Amino acid sequence: VGTFIGMIAALQAGIALATVGQQDQIGTFVALGLAREMAPFITAIILAATVGSAYAAELGTMAVSEELEALEVMSIDPLRLLVLPRLVALLVMCPVLTIVCNIVGVLGGGFVAQAQYHVSFDLYMELALEALRATGTWIPLPKDIFAGLFKAYVFGAIVAVISCSCGLRTHGGALGVGNATRR
């Protein structure tokens, strides 16, 4: 999905930039657009659809089969045992997958820039990397990359909390598990 987003971004930026003869700048637009907004958003959407629904289904199944109550009877906190590891996993993996999405998206955009607008891949990559080099004043990371990774971190937390919450509040048997997963 990241590759296709990069390809679409390059195609759309190329159309606009070609009208003013600046199609060489496609790399700048693709890299900044992916790093700031698109890669964290797309990654979170995919994680919500796959991992979030799995979290809700797993916890929902445990809730309707009274496994959560059994843990509480044994003085084991279900939040610490079941939710916290899932939350930490998404807090770590959402930014990591966002970095992967950025990389494959920029590469996909480079393919389109070269094939459709005859921009050399070397020039495309040089401009894309140059656009991402501007560092912030308080952080050593480039500010656009940091902003995207921070968004990914927040999105990962939101996906984990909402999906685990839906799973833990499940009731009503198999139908309830399906409803929790859909929610």
Side-chain angles (χ1 to χ4, degrees):
V1 172
T3 303
F4 294 132
I5 293 297
M7 295 171 90
I8 292 167
L11 188 61
Q12 294 301 314
I15 291 170
L17 290 170
T19 61
V20 292
Q22 293 294 313
Q23 59 268 25
D24 293 345
Q25 297 296 320
I26 294 173
T28 302
F29 283 94
V30 171
L32 291 176
L34 281 171
R36 288 180 188 166
E37 303 293 336
M38 291 307 296
F41 176 72
I42 294 299
T43 302
I45 292 293
I46 292 169
L47 287 176
T50 57
V51 177
S53 62
Y55 284 0
E58 290 169 358
L59 294 175
T61 302
M62 290 178 186
V64 299
S65 64
E66 299 177 355
E67 291 177 43
L68 299 178
E69 287 85 4
L71 288 173
E72 289 173 357
V73 167
M74 294 186 298
S75 297
I76 298 173
D77 184 14
L79 295 178
R80 285 184 104 176
L81 180 69
L82 301 172
V83 175
L84 190 60
R86 288 170 169 81
L87 175 64
V88 170
L90 276 182
L91 288 177
V92 171
M93 288 312 296
C94 195
V96 169
L97 291 172
T98 297
I99 292 170
V100 172
C101 186
N102 279 324
I103 292 169
V104 298
V106 168
L107 292 175
F111 173 74
V112 169
Q114 187 175 16
Q116 292 291 321
Y117 300 104
H118 309 293
V119 176
S120 75
F121 190 75
D122 292 336
L123 176 63
Y124 172 87
M125 288 303 293
E126 180 183 327
L127 291 174
L129 293 174
E130 183 63 34
L132 296 174
R133 283 201 178 108
T135 58
T137 54
W138 297 298
I139 49 173
L141 279 175
K143 62 182 180 180
D144 297 311
I145 294 174
F146 177 79
L149 292 179
F150 181 74
K151 287 176 187 178
Y153 184 80
V154 171
F155 291 162
I158 291 169
V159 168
V161 168
I162 290 173
S163 60
C164 288
S165 173
C166 287
L168 291 173
R169 290 183 286 126
T170 301
H171 55 84
L175 181 62
V177 173
N179 290 334
T181 303
R182 188 175 60 247
R183 263 185 282 137

